[in-house]
Amino acid sequence: MSSTKDIETLIELMAKLPGLGPRSARRAVLHLIRKRALLLTPLADMLQTVAVTARECLNCGNVGTADICDICESEQRANGILCVVEDVSDLWAMERSGVFKGKYHVLGGTLSALDAIGPDELRIPRLVDRVTSEHITEVILALNATIDGQTTAHYIADILDGRATLTSLAQGVPIGGELDYLDDGTITAAMNARKPI
């Protein structure tokens, strides 16, 4: 077994990634080993590079390889609209849609009394500074529809009241969704946010 110790360690590390359990990690590692030149070596090299160069944007909290990310540097995005998200994965999801052309602010989580996460543990003070210094006219609260997400949205709405127009993403029936498969909360939100046809 000692001859496979490094491989077992790699499998254990891979199993810690989101969406991978021990069996999936084992399959992934075996595939990487079989495709060593095509996948494993380039992957190992890129992991080493990213480990050294990746950093959070000092302005918004996005992840990139420079102190200020491309989105914050872009003059085309300086339109006075700021979209507030919980995490970098939410920012990337918004970017995939291609619908938002302003700048972002990543909070780094949500307020949670149970986990002792207050405003100072998140990037809320930096958000307040940005609204003033960047002459933000609209703040879109694109936070998850969880209790902590909604609590955070209400807190931010209170501290930014009068400084900018505050909006939130619409909630309700997803495109292609069937009512029979939706939970009660989603149906309620959709009914309350109904609009004329």
Side-chain angles (χ1 to χ4, degrees), residues 97-148:
S97 75
V99 71
F100 181 67
K101 302 299 181 195
K103 293 187 178 182
Y104 295 93
H105 187 82
V106 180
L107 293 175
T110 54
L111 296 172
S112 174
L114 290 175
D115 298 322
I117 299 174
D120 293 332
E121 283 73 42
L122 304 176
R123 292 187 188 92
I124 293 176
R126 176 72 183 125
L127 171 62
V128 176
D129 292 343
R130 287 186 70 194
V131 167
T132 303
S133 66
E134 297 179 27
H135 309 293
I136 301 299
T137 56
E138 180 183 0
V139 175
I140 302 169
L141 299 176
L143 305 178
N144 292 324
T146 62
I147 292 173
D148 288 343

Side-chain angles (χ1 to χ4, degrees), residues 55-98:
R55 61 193 60 172
E56 286 184 353
C57 175
L58 298 174
N59 196 40
C60 73
N62 190 11
V63 174
T65 57
D67 287 335
I68 304 296
C69 73
D70 295 340
I71 295 172
C72 287
E73 288 283 349
S74 173
E75 284 300 318
Q76 286 80 26
R77 290 187 176 255
N79 60 8
I81 303 174
L82 193 64
C83 182
V84 178
V85 295
E86 290 178 27
D87 204 339
V88 174
S89 61
D90 300 326
L91 185 156
W92 291 356
M94 292 289 290
E95 280 297 285
R96 271 195 320 271
S97 75

